[in-house]
Each structure stands twice: as C-alpha cells, then as structure tokens.
Amino acid sequence: MHAEPWSGYLFLDTETGGLDPARHSLLTLGLVVGGPEGVRHSLEILLRHETYDVTGGGMAVNRIDLAKHHAAALAPDAALAVLDVFLEQHFPHRCRPITLVGHNVGFDRDFLKAWLEACGRTFEPRFGHRLVDTHGIAAALRDAGRLPLEELGSSALFAHFGIEVPEEQRHTALGDALATFELYRRLVALAGGAV
C-alpha cells in the first residue's frame, strides 16, 4: 500500500535578516501542505526576537518593517505552539519524518533548524534529513532538454510557467511558499507525472 502522493511534504519558505543561519534572525515561516489537487492548507508565522540581527541587503529583499513585524510577531513559545498544532494537524504520524520542499530549500532548512535549536528543540526526527529542491528538479529537466531555460532562479521559473505572485506577496514567506508549491506541480507535470 502506497502513501498518498506528497503526504509527507511540507513546502517551506523563509524570510530572514541575512544569509547566515548561525547569526541572522529568522523572521517568518511560510508553510504549505497539499497534493496534486492543489493547496490544502497554508500558514505564515511571524517570529519575534528580543534583538534582531539583520543586514541591509536582507531587509531590502524581504521589505520587512521591523517595528511593524515586532508588533505582529509571536514570541518563541507561542510560535512553537502554533507550529506544533499545524504540524500535528497535517503530519500526525510521527513515525515518518516530514520532508521539506522548496526552492534552494537547504537555506530555509538551515534557518528553521537553527531557530528550533535556539528554542531548545531538535530538528530531527520530526523533520527528515532529505529535501526536495525545485531548483534541482528544474536543473535536471533543463539538462534533459525538457526545460528551455538557462536561469533557474525562482523569478525566472515563475515567469516561465506563468505563476503570478502579486507584488505585495513576492518575497514574503507565504507568498513564495505558495508559488513554489505551484512550481513543483508544474515541474512534476513537465516530468510526465499526473497533476
């Protein structure tokens, strides 16, 4: 008996204060669950820190106003509680680790892992060590002659597949997680899978 397609997949995107998960603040988590039929549930969690370690470049990309963010964000205990409820609702079988899916998802995984550990949690075994990266899938399809693109950044891929992200949602964790979910669906279809 096979598991439902995508049943262990959590589509993840993050917005951060910089590029170094050991130093820079994780600001938001965008979480999406679904399957070939489409998105079933999504959630964005804003994370509060007592002090924020951010770079000018990081903040220019994510366009987060830290004062507004801080006022709306959840303290670590509350954020963990919300995350736990979401995960328990959508991944109730703890015997199977959750597989993270995203575009260059190793970056997002590293920030999530660092934040969890700073909160006294472990990353594994709740989350698995295996990842599904839409950049890697796109590269394989390009190399097989199925995807006529040289540039495989998320913007180029979204444009190629006609995935529209409203300007106010682009480079938000949830907006990018939703768009990456749709990108994965399109890549699976291009590879010959049923969507």
Side-chain angles (χ1 to χ4, degrees), residues 30-45:
L31 311 170
V32 176
V33 293
E37 76 288 351
V39 172
R40 286 196 288 270
H41 298 281
S42 62
L43 177 67
E44 186 168 56
I45 304 174

Side-chain angles (χ1 to χ4, degrees), residues 3-11 32-42 90-91 101 178 180-186 188 194-195:
E4 176 187 350
W6 309 14
S7 63
Y9 290 174
L10 175 62
F11 290 78
V32 176
V33 293
E37 76 288 351
V39 172
R40 286 196 288 270
H41 298 281
S42 62
H90 304 294
F91 304 95
V101 184
L178 288 164
T180 300
F181 176 88
E182 185 57 33
L183 174 61
Y184 181 77
R185 292 181 78 224
R186 305 289 179 93
V188 168
V195 173

Side-chain angles (χ1 to χ4, degrees), residues 83-100:
L83 178 62
D84 287 343
V85 168
F86 185 85
L87 295 179
E88 194 54 39
Q89 286 174 337
H90 304 294
F91 304 95
H93 306 295
R94 291 184 173 267
C95 59
R96 230 172 112 200
I98 296 167
T99 299
L100 297 176

